[in-house]
Amino acid sequence: MSNGFDAIITDLFATHLGDTTGVALFAVGGYGRQEVHPGSDIDILVLASKPQKYQRKIELFLQSVFDLNVEVGHSVRDVKACKVQAKQDITVATALFERRFITGDESLVAPLEKALNSPRLWPADKFFEAKYEEQKQRHKDYDNVEYNLEPNVKTSPGGLRDIHTALWICKRKFNTTDPEKLVELGVLMPSEKQWLVEG
């Protein structure tokens, strides 16, 4: 779905913001990593050098996206606001770390990369601690039960979100989520790599 949706919102962006410099569109979260499952929402970031300057055009673009009757989460920020929000909220940070440029002014890509890739923003050890606490709370919310009659495949213990959490931590610490590279680095045993891929 993500590639098809990319094409649709790229057309909508061109309609409302195609003649505008200083605005770019990113996919974030699951949409950013191109893992959109049935019923998933679509998360986008409209990055603008001066959000207020382009406010009306951005509003018209977002309205046209909402008219598609797809569950869309969105944010409109400049680079500084992205960094501030990422520093304050681990969930926002994680979504932004999985960003994927879709269309718009490509000159905004490098400043965002620089701001979010700074090791001082979320040092690997602090990121691990925050994601571990987040995981513990999620497991608690689902009663720490792996074998319900109807487990939540995404958020129950042992579900997709636990795999995502491990990969997010690897990305922050080792700058890769490739299972083969993680074996080469000694992070995973070959058998663990196989378990991960099968999971």
Side-chain angles (χ1 to χ4, degrees):
M1 175 185 171
S2 60
N3 287 339
F5 196 75
D6 281 4
I8 293 168
I9 61 173
T10 295
D11 285 346
L12 294 176
F13 189 94
T15 299
H16 297 288
L17 291 151
D19 61 347
T20 306
T21 57
V23 185
L25 180 65
F26 291 80
V28 296
Y31 179 38
R33 66 176 178 270
Q34 295 184 298
E35 285 185 10
V36 181
H37 302 286
S40 294
D41 56 347
I42 302 290
D43 292 318
I44 58 174
L45 163 67
V46 179
L47 184 68
S49 55
K50 297 178 181 178
Q52 292 298 324
K53 179 179 178 180
Y54 308 112
Q55 181 176 351
R56 184 58 185 155
K57 287 185 176 183
I58 293 171
E59 286 174 351
L60 290 171
F61 162 68
L62 290 173
Q63 185 59 58
S64 65
V65 173
F66 299 149
D67 287 344
L68 296 172
N69 290 323
V70 176
E71 195 72 33
V72 177
H74 73 284
S75 57
V76 179
R77 300 185 179 113
D78 60 16
V79 171
K80 183 178 179 181
C82 286
K83 188 172 183 178
V84 169
Q85 288 294 312
K87 189 171 185 178
Q88 292 175 349
D89 189 323
I90 188 66
T91 303
V92 171
T94 305
L96 288 173
F97 291 158
E98 296 190 299
R99 69 197 171 278
R100 178 171 54 85
F101 175 77
I102 298 177
T103 189
D105 189 343
E106 292 188 51
S107 71
L108 295 176
V109 174
L112 185 62
E113 291 274 336
K114 183 178 179 182
L116 296 179
N117 287 348
S118 169
R120 290 185 299 172
L121 176 63
W122 273 102
D125 57 339
K126 298 291 185 187
F127 186 76
F128 170 80
E129 290 169 9
K131 296 309 288 186
Y132 181 53
E133 288 302 316
E134 190 179 68
Q135 182 187 53
K136 286 197 298 186
Q137 184 58 52
R138 185 176 67 255
H139 286 183
K140 183 179 177 183
D141 291 344
Y142 283 83
D143 298 323
N144 286 302
V145 176
E146 297 91 337
Y147 302 110
N148 288 328
L149 288 175
E150 295 184 16
N152 186 310
V153 174
K154 178 180 177 181
T155 53
S156 289
L160 282 171
R161 189 56 85 214
D162 284 351
I163 294 174
H164 292 153
T165 298
L167 293 175
W168 290 329
I169 291 167
C170 287
K171 177 69 174 176
R172 202 66 188 159
K173 178 71 175 177
F174 305 106
N175 199 33
T176 185
T177 59
D178 184 322
E180 288 289 349
K181 290 183 180 177
L182 292 171
V183 170
E184 291 171 14
L185 290 168
V187 178
L188 293 177
M189 299 287 288
S191 58
E192 293 172 325
K193 184 208 85 168
Q194 192 60 36
W195 296 338
L196 179 62
V197 170
E198 288 174 359

